[in-house]
Amino acid sequence: MMAVLTWSARIVAALICAAIVIGVWKREELVRVWNVITIFDEDRIVQNFSNMNAAFLTTTLPRGDGPVTPFSQGDTLALSPAAQDWIEEHRLTSLLVLKDGEIAYEGYFQGTGADDRRISWSLAKSYLSALFGILLEEGAIRSLDAPVTEYVPLLAGGAYEGVSIRDVLMMSSGVVFDEEYANFSSDIQRMARVVALGGTLDAFTAEFTERFAAPGEVWKYVSIDTHVIGMVIRGATGRSVSELMTEKIIEPLGLEQDAYYVTDGTGVAYVLGGLNFSTRDYARFAQMFLNGGRVGDNQVVPEDWIKASTRPQAPTKEGAIGYGYQRWIPIGAEDGEYFGRGVYGQYLYIDESSDVVIVVTAADQAFRAPNVRQRNVKMMREIARSL
């Protein structure tokens, strides 16, 4: 009996040792998985959103050696009681309002500050669209109507066979992809775990084989389409999105700080939601759009692309919110009113008629509740039109 117990103890000891070794070997991966699981926890979400480089693999996007594009102080906006309630109710972490390129309001909340570099979530899609427009004008990509497989042979034979670049830009690929953030087994959650474990997003994308509609016929917001845009860019240029983004957009903007991308295990940027900037640096990008793609005398993004990408392009339902090339156009929008939007309440809102830019960062766990998006747009419109 003693011999049996001793042998059993040895087996248990060996298993414990093996678990310890595996735990040490995979420690970084396990930490990243834990970060994915807990990233939106109420007591951690604000801190996490300002420190994604402490939790995930990242790559720096250097601001370059040029001067900072300055913001002067304009007439100060006094927020209405309704706006103050909105800030508190929707857990804003920062709010920056520019009028005529000058700061009308700047505020930071919930213990955050001006130097925090906050996660973009889907605001990153607007940046990728801008980069695509530059490359299209330069001739690196021949046409919006070229099939994505022309530049990404890896996707041949799967769900993206026969899908055009235009289709993925306006989220009408027809590819079956579950975007439900609250479902642990959804495709977007599985995609996040690929990033956390240092996996390969390209291989993950190539696994999709089903479509619910023919390409170009039905609009449905699926973030994997944005990753395909990134694959097209890399396939067309032979360069990383991080390098191109730094050269074509980051350096010309005159940012205050270096930016960074969250990446997968091969260094591929998480282009659908992994950019990180300070609030003021987000505003510099949005102001560049308001200025027709220019920073000073430098045409950074083609003006024609600014107009095309920020007007309704996708086959959305009549009377519903519009969608351009990775940009939202609100219901009842006047010409030149559009925004980028990220989960948990991130916004880059632009109103050309009022010459206003509004940047919102937040940690709003009720961001999917009924009418939240509509209330956010209504409040930003009220702020813009009060100036």
Side-chain angles (χ1 to χ4, degrees):
M1 184 67 173
M2 182 62 69
V4 172
L5 289 174
T6 302
W7 182 245
S8 299
R10 288 176 179 174
I11 293 174
V12 170
L15 290 172
I16 291 172
C17 288
I20 292 171
V21 169
I22 292 171
V24 172
W25 177 43
K26 292 290 187 180
R27 182 179 182 278
E28 290 187 5
E29 289 88 342
L30 292 172
V31 168
R32 289 198 295 272
V33 169
W34 177 248
N35 287 329
V36 168
I37 293 171
T38 61
I39 194 168
F40 304 123
D41 285 3
E42 186 171 357
D43 60 341
R44 300 185 60 185
I45 187 170
V46 172
Q47 176 74 8
N48 285 340
F49 280 15
S50 291
N51 295 278
M52 297 296 283
N53 55 347
F56 297 98
L57 299 172
T58 62
T59 188
T60 300
L61 309 182
R63 64 165 301 278
D65 299 326
V68 173
T69 302
F71 284 135
S72 57
Q73 184 68 49
D75 295 336
T76 301
L77 168 68
L79 293 180
S80 67
Q84 293 171 357
D85 290 344
W86 170 68
I87 288 170
E88 183 174 352
E89 180 181 347
H90 293 284
R91 299 196 68 190
L92 268 61
T93 50
S94 70
L95 173 64
L96 179 61
V97 181
L98 301 180
K99 169 67 175 177
D100 300 325
E102 296 180 331
I103 296 176
Y105 180 87
E106 183 176 15
Y108 299 91
F109 319 103
Q110 301 192 62
T112 67
D115 291 335
D116 287 16
R117 290 180 295 176
R118 297 174 177 80
I119 183 69
S120 65
W121 299 122
S122 288
L123 299 181
K125 294 177 169 71
S126 299
Y127 284 79
L128 192 69
S129 174
L131 177 60
F132 183 90
I134 295 170
L135 298 173
L136 183 68
E137 184 182 67
E138 291 178 350
I141 297 158
R142 69 173 180 85
S143 170
L144 291 181
D145 296 313
V148 297
T149 51
E150 179 175 328
Y151 299 100
V152 192
L154 178 65
L155 299 180
Y160 283 97
E161 182 74 48
V163 175
S164 73
I165 295 171
R166 190 186 305 273
D167 294 331
V168 292
L169 279 167
M170 61 185 187
M171 297 282 191
S172 61
S173 66
V175 170
V176 174
F177 183 86
D178 184 354
E179 189 90 4
E180 180 51 62
Y181 284 84
N183 180 0
F184 182 80
S185 301
S186 70
D187 294 321
I188 194 68
Q189 284 278 14
R190 292 195 304 114
M191 197 174 196
R193 292 194 290 276
V194 169
V195 175
L197 286 168
T200 305
L201 287 171
D202 287 357
F204 174 82
T205 304
E207 294 175 1
F208 287 83
T209 59
E210 297 182 16
R211 286 203 297 253
F212 67 89
E217 290 188 357
V218 179
W219 176 82
K220 184 179 180 183
Y221 188 89
V222 290
S223 287
I224 198 167
D225 279 0
T226 308
H227 184 74
V228 173
I229 298 169
M231 295 175 79
V232 168
I233 288 172
R234 288 185 279 121
T237 64
R239 300 178 64 189
S240 73
V241 170
S242 300
E243 291 173 338
L244 290 165
M245 187 71 72
T246 298
E247 175 187 322
K248 306 289 187 182
I249 293 180
I250 300 302
E251 291 181 353
L253 281 175
L255 304 182
E256 293 181 10
Q257 301 184 62
D258 292 344
Y260 67 90
Y261 257 129
V262 173
T263 72
D264 71 6
T266 64
V268 168
Y270 190 55
V271 295
L272 58 94
L275 279 171
N276 294 261
F277 295 96
S278 71
T279 297
R280 287 184 183 180
D281 284 342
Y282 280 120
R284 289 181 169 89
F285 175 78
Q287 185 65 38
M288 179 263 291
F289 260 69
L290 184 60
N291 292 340
R294 296 182 303 279
V295 177
D297 295 328
N298 183 16
Q299 190 73 43
V300 178
V301 179
E303 187 171 10
D304 287 347
W305 184 256
I306 298 285
K307 293 178 179 177
S309 64
T310 60
R311 271 54 174 182
Q313 300 285 355
T316 56
K317 295 180 180 179
E318 185 175 354
I321 192 168
Y323 199 75
Y325 297 144
Q326 307 286 291
R327 284 275 190 168
W328 299 89
I329 299 90
I331 297 170
E334 298 178 359
D335 191 40
E337 183 188 11
Y338 53 89
F339 58 88
R341 177 167 64 109
V343 292
Y344 293 87
Q346 328 309 316
Y347 284 87
L348 295 182
Y349 174 88
I350 295 171
D351 185 348
E352 293 177 356
S353 64
S354 300
D355 202 10
V356 167
V357 160
I358 299 176
V359 180
V360 175
T361 66
D364 184 9
Q365 292 175 310
F367 75 101
R368 281 191 178 273
N371 298 319
V372 167
R373 186 195 70 226
Q374 291 86 338
R375 184 184 181 193
N376 289 336
V377 171
K378 181 175 183 289
M379 181 55 64
M380 290 185 289
R381 277 177 168 167
E382 288 180 3
I383 291 171
R385 292 166 190 179
S386 71
L387 293 167

